[in-house]
């Protein structure tokens, strides 16, 4: 009985320690195609805000770089656009803002946009799906553009509120 127990224990130990070699499936997203037709469209900046922005070359460069996002075909194209967006965003961050747009509402939305640019870059580096962070980045950019429209359309005089 003792020999049978020891023999079964050794067999059990031998088979339980066997390594299971399963094939590792690595998904390569570098060659995957990207469909941009499903992405939300860029928010249109109204005429009042466009008059202010036209003298702000750093934002114009960022806007042009963002437009290139809608012409990408694969992850490598997205990577190039993201690198360009990062550079233009850094220039915008250090630039002199127009007086009307030198407010915390614009700067905070720009930081959120920067966050999603970097999130997309991280997904590209780790070869993860970029669809979700790109959609979030587009939403953040649209929020920034919408805030330009809100600021120029705001007719409320803040001096009246702040006076006591």
């Amino acid at each position: 009985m003792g020999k049978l127990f020891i023999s079964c224990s050794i067999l059990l130990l031998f088979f339980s320690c066997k390594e299971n070699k399963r094939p590792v499936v690595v998904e390569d997203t570098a060659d995957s195609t990207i469909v941009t037709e499903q992405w939300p469209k860029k928010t249109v900046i109204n005429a009042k805000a466009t008059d202010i922005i036209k003298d702000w070359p750093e934002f114009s460069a960022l806007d042009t770089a963002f437009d290139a996002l809608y012409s990408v075909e694969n992850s490598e194209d997205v990577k190039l656009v993201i690198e360009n967006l990062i550079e233009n965003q850094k220039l915008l961050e250090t630039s002199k803002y127009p007086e009307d747009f030198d407010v915390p509402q614009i700067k905070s939305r720009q930081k959120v946009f920067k966050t999603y640019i970097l999130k997309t870059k991280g997904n590209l580096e780790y070869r993860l799906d970029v669809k979700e962070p790109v959609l979030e980045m587009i939403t953040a950019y649209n929020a920034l553009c919408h805030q330009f429209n809100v600021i120029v359309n705001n007719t409320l005089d803040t001096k009246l509120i702040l006076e006591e």
Side-chain angles (χ1 to χ4, degrees):
M1 182 73 169
K3 288 182 181 182
L4 181 63
F5 178 71
I6 291 175
S7 298
C8 288
S9 297
I10 290 174
L11 282 173
L12 182 65
L13 182 65
F14 177 73
F15 286 113
S16 66
C17 291
K18 179 181 166 187
E19 289 185 29
N20 291 332
K21 295 198 177 192
R22 296 181 184 147
V24 178
V25 178
V26 177
E27 184 179 329
D28 187 15
T29 59
D31 295 331
S32 64
T33 58
I34 295 177
V35 181
T36 60
E37 288 84 25
Q38 299 170 350
W39 292 354
K41 300 299 176 206
K42 191 172 113 174
T43 298
V44 177
I45 300 173
N46 68 21
K48 289 180 188 176
T50 303
D51 288 341
I52 297 170
I53 290 173
K54 71 180 177 185
D55 297 327
W56 193 12
E58 293 85 2
F59 183 79
S60 297
L62 180 73
D63 192 47
T64 304
F66 187 80
D67 287 339
L69 186 64
Y70 287 95
S71 64
V72 298
E73 294 178 2
N74 56 38
S75 295
E76 289 300 318
D77 293 344
V78 175
K79 188 173 186 177
L80 292 173
V81 170
I82 292 297
E83 292 300 324
N84 195 12
L85 280 172
I86 289 171
E87 292 302 316
N88 286 315
Q89 196 280 326
K90 284 179 185 176
L91 292 173
L92 180 67
E93 202 171 37
T94 59
S95 72
K96 182 174 180 351
Y97 288 73
E99 185 178 332
D100 292 338
F101 296 145
D102 194 11
V103 293
Q105 295 92 331
I106 295 294
K107 292 181 179 181
S108 66
R109 281 164 180 79
Q110 183 184 345
K111 285 184 182 186
V112 171
F113 178 59
K114 177 183 177 182
T115 301
Y116 288 118
I117 292 173
L118 296 175
K119 182 178 179 180
T120 306
K121 180 182 177 185
N123 279 21
L124 285 167
E125 287 180 4
Y126 290 112
R127 296 188 182 269
L128 300 173
D129 185 31
V130 294
K131 183 179 179 181
E132 178 187 340
V134 166
L135 292 176
E136 292 170 337
M137 181 178 63
I138 292 170
T139 303
Y141 184 80
N142 285 340
L144 174 66
C145 293
H146 179 69
Q147 190 62 39
F148 290 142
N149 294 338
V150 168
I151 287 173
V152 295
N153 290 334
N154 186 6
T155 58
L156 182 63
D157 188 10
T158 56
K159 292 177 184 175
L160 294 174
I161 297 172
L162 297 176
E163 291 180 3
E164 293 182 36

